[in-house]
Amino acid sequence: AQLLDELGIAYLFIDFNRHPLENTPNSLALLGQALNASPRASEMIALIEQRLARIDRGLADRPADAPTVLINVAPGVKVDCCRTNLRNGLADLVPRAGGDNIAAALTPGASATLSNEWVLSHPPDVIINTAGQWSAGDGLRAGLGISADDIDQDLHHLSQSLPGWAHLNAVQEGQFYALWHGFHQGPFAIVALERIAQWLYPERFADLDPA
């Protein structure tokens, strides 16, 4: 910022990643002003608020015991198991969708790496693995240009390659998912939130259509 100031270059800070639900509306409003597109930005913000309200209504009378969720960040990239979000990124979305992030109370930081043994001793109801448009074998794949068969193949490989994961209830019961990074690292967090809500409460959110 200091260098940009010295060069006389205008800039603004936006955030769709660290706290996507909190900061996306403000970031969109700023972009609308900067790009002379405030009406479009306002329409997007209104749509997000409408969709958020629908999810909040659907969770208003949910049971006290929330499904437990493991957020597994980019398995196969840097580490196989298990980088996770504690207080940013998907860790903002999971509780808003009615889930209980099993790692949330572990440390005061924003992220952590869990051991495979810890995961096996704290088995989650649902596992959400983040994925990207990587080459085959470089990590769990999802996103534009990645087929459903590719995603299923990578999920199966992941569940079989991590010791003990094939026996986790989340894997055996099909509560084992891939979520593209692009949804929660851009202004599309509402899409990810709707999908997570459906995964956690399929009957309550059968009418949502994140696709």
Side-chain angles (χ1 to χ4, degrees):
Q2 181 179 352
L3 178 59
L4 293 173
D5 284 336
E6 293 173 357
L7 295 173
I9 297 175
Y11 57 87
L12 57 86
F13 291 102
I14 60 174
D15 172 38
F16 299 121
N17 185 14
R18 289 182 58 82
H19 297 294
L21 295 179
E22 177 182 351
N23 291 336
T24 290
N26 291 335
S27 296
L28 288 173
L30 286 171
L31 286 172
Q33 295 173 32
L35 301 174
N36 195 28
S38 290
R40 290 177 59 196
S42 296
E43 289 177 7
M44 292 181 68
I45 293 168
L47 177 63
I48 291 170
E49 291 176 345
Q50 175 189 357
R51 297 297 184 97
L52 278 173
R54 166 66 186 91
I55 291 173
D56 290 341
R57 289 195 305 271
L59 295 172
D61 61 343
R62 72 184 187 277
D65 294 333
T68 56
V69 179
L70 169 66
I71 301 169
N72 189 20
V73 175
V77 180
K78 298 184 180 178
V79 299
D80 291 329
C81 179
C82 293
R83 290 188 293 156
T84 194
N85 294 136
L86 304 177
R87 267 164 289 282
N88 66 348
L90 280 184
D92 283 9
L93 302 185
V94 165
R96 189 64 179 265
D100 178 12
N101 179 4
I102 63 171
L106 287 181
T107 72
S111 60
T113 300
L114 309 173
S115 70
N116 192 64
E117 292 78 11
W118 190 91
V119 173
L120 295 176
S121 63
H122 299 78
D125 298 318
V126 177
I127 299 174
I128 299 175
N129 305 281
T130 69
Q133 293 159 280
W134 295 298
S135 300
D138 288 343
L140 187 63
R141 294 172 292 171
L144 299 174
I146 307 298
S147 70
D149 287 342
D150 289 337
I151 296 171
D152 290 342
Q153 176 183 327
D154 286 359
L155 283 172
H156 178 75
H157 175 75
L158 178 64
S159 69
Q160 300 302 309
S161 62
L162 290 173
W165 279 47
H167 303 290
L168 289 172
N169 287 341
V171 172
Q172 294 186 351
E173 296 174 6
Q175 301 293 300
F176 188 62
Y177 303 109
L179 186 68
W180 180 39
H181 276 287
F183 287 128
H184 56 284
Q185 292 185 343
F188 310 107
I190 187 62
V191 179
L193 184 67
E194 288 191 338
R195 198 67 182 101
I196 294 169
Q198 283 188 322
W199 285 337
L200 301 183
Y201 300 95
E203 294 182 358
R204 288 174 178 264
F205 295 112
D207 62 318
L208 295 183
D209 185 16

